[in-house]
């Protein structure tokens, strides 16, 4: 992280909450000149004020530091809106159905944007009774492999973790599946829609 808390973030939070600099200063037991300095980037809040500032504006400390305020407008979940976050340090796979600020190993993760499968990442899907058999034409070496495969429907997600030197294949229950995704540890996330 290049900066601490930006003045722009503090000003936006104050204005969004309909507060004056004096009102914020009073609640945090600092002067209104201090708030002005923060908002013009001539100074930064002391670390001991992180919790009081986040409580004042009803956000998490992570949101305060990142400047990304999460607003969950749609509380009903739809798995088709799933987002996958992959840690570049440990390979941890995190799944979310809405907006989130996610960190792993001190790194703020951004959601992977799925691409259509290509010549280097071919996927075949075969119906076998009530399952989809998924095979990905991809090497499975220790330094280049498919990390996971997921089948997504409106109300559920099925995910299988794959490992280097194993096979890039798996099976999923067909019921409601609309999309298959997989993640290459070098090239990112790929997806294919299921044609009914």
């Amino acid at each position: 992280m290049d900066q601490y808390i930006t003045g722009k973030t503090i000003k936006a939070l104050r204005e969004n909450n309909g507060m004056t600099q004096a009102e914020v200063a009073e609640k945090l037991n600092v002067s209104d000149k201090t708030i002005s300095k923060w908002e013009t980037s001539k100074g930064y809040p002391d670390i001991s004020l992180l919790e009081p500032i986040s409580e004042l504006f009803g956000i998490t400390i992570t949101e305060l530091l990142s400047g990304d305020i999460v607003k969950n407008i749609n509380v009903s979940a739809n798995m088709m809106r799933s987002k996958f976050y992959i840690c570049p340090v440990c390979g941890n796979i995190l799944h979310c159905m809405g907006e989130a600020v996610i960190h792993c190993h001190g790194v703020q993760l951004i959601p992977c944007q799925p691409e259509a499968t290509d010549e280097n990442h071919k996927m075949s899907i075969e119906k076998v009774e009530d399952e989809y058999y998924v095979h990905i034409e991809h090497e499975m070496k220790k330094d280049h492999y498919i990390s996971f495969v997921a089948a997504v429907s409106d109300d559920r997600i099925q995910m299988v973790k794959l490992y280097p030197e194993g096979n890039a294949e798996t099976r999923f229950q067909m019921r409601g599946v609309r999309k298959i995704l997989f993640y290459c540890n070098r090239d990112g996330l790929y997806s294919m829609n299921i044609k009914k």
Side-chain angles (χ1 to χ4, degrees), residues 1 6 21 24 26-27 47 54 64 93 96 98 104 113 131 135-136 151 161 165 170 173 185 191 195-196:
M1 179 168 47
T6 66
Q21 288 182 345
V24 172
E26 183 182 336
K27 298 218 183 261
I47 196 164
S54 64
L64 180 63
I93 304 161
C96 182
C104 190
Q113 298 299 318
E131 294 181 319
H135 174 76
I136 302 156
K161 176 77 173 105
E165 301 179 354
T170 190
Q173 292 293 315
N185 75 318
S191 76
K195 296 175 182 171
K196 298 289 180 183

Side-chain angles (χ1 to χ4, degrees), residues 85-94 103-107 109 112 183:
Y85 298 79
I86 315 299
C87 177
V89 178
C90 68
N92 195 7
I93 304 161
L94 299 139
H103 290 77
C104 190
H105 286 87
V107 177
L109 306 181
C112 297
Y183 183 80

Side-chain angles (χ1 to χ4, degrees), residues 123-136:
M123 177 170 48
S124 61
I125 302 170
E126 183 182 333
K127 292 180 183 179
V128 179
E129 296 180 4
D130 65 341
E131 294 181 319
Y132 287 122
Y133 169 71
V134 178
H135 174 76
I136 302 156

Side-chain angles (χ1 to χ4, degrees), residues 132 151-153 158 173-179 194 196:
Y132 287 122
V152 183
S153 62
Q158 303 170 66
Q173 292 293 315
M174 289 174 56
R175 194 180 79 161
V177 172
R178 293 177 46 194
K179 187 186 328 184
I194 299 291
K196 298 289 180 183

Side-chain angles (χ1 to χ4, degrees), residues 10-19 39 57:
I10 293 171
K11 184 176 182 180
L13 289 167
R14 177 180 62 76
E15 289 176 347
N16 289 343
N17 284 275
M19 300 174 79
E39 291 185 3
F57 296 123

Side-chain angles (χ1 to χ4, degrees), residues 5-184:
I5 304 169
T6 66
K8 182 179 173 185
T9 299
I10 293 171
K11 184 176 182 180
L13 289 167
R14 177 180 62 76
E15 289 176 347
N16 289 343
N17 284 275
M19 300 174 79
T20 65
Q21 288 182 345
E23 290 171 327
V24 172
E26 183 182 336
K27 298 218 183 261
L28 297 175
N29 294 319
V30 297
S31 71
D32 53 345
K33 287 183 181 180
T34 300
I35 303 298
S36 178
K37 283 184 181 180
W38 294 349
E39 291 185 3
T40 58
S41 297
K42 293 179 182 168
Y44 297 104
D46 185 79
I47 196 164
S48 65
L49 291 172
L50 288 180
E51 191 172 341
I53 293 170
S54 64
E55 287 175 1
L56 176 64
F57 296 123
I59 62 172
T60 66
I61 292 175
T62 301
E63 290 172 306
L64 180 63
L65 292 174
S66 71
D68 294 328
I69 310 307
V70 175
K71 291 183 180 169
N72 192 358
I73 296 166
N74 182 3
V75 293
S76 64
N78 180 334
M79 294 304 246
M80 293 303 294
R81 294 186 187 129
S82 288
K83 295 179 183 179
F84 294 91
Y85 298 79
I86 315 299
C87 177
V89 178
C90 68
N92 195 7
I93 304 161
L94 299 139
H95 169 256
C96 182
M97 294 181 298
E99 296 300 317
V101 177
I102 297 176
H103 290 77
C104 190
H105 286 87
V107 177
Q108 182 174 345
L109 306 181
I110 57 171
C112 297
Q113 298 299 318
E115 299 178 30
T117 55
D118 59 24
E119 284 299 311
N120 297 319
H121 299 90
K122 292 181 181 177
M123 177 170 48
S124 61
I125 302 170
E126 183 182 333
K127 292 180 183 179
V128 179
E129 296 180 4
D130 65 341
E131 294 181 319
Y132 287 122
Y133 169 71
V134 178
H135 174 76
I136 302 156
E137 293 180 29
H138 195 282
E139 60 186 350
M140 293 293 283
K141 297 182 179 177
K142 286 186 179 181
D143 62 342
H144 191 196
Y145 58 92
I146 301 301
S147 176
F148 72 88
V149 185
V152 183
S153 62
D154 290 328
D155 64 348
R156 69 190 65 204
I157 185 167
Q158 303 170 66
M159 187 183 310
V160 175
K161 176 77 173 105
L162 301 179
Y163 296 93
E165 301 179 354
N167 294 323
E169 61 188 19
T170 190
R171 292 176 181 260
F172 295 110
Q173 292 293 315
M174 289 174 56
R175 194 180 79 161
V177 172
R178 293 177 46 194
K179 187 186 328 184
I180 305 280
L181 299 107
F182 66 88
Y183 183 80
C184 170

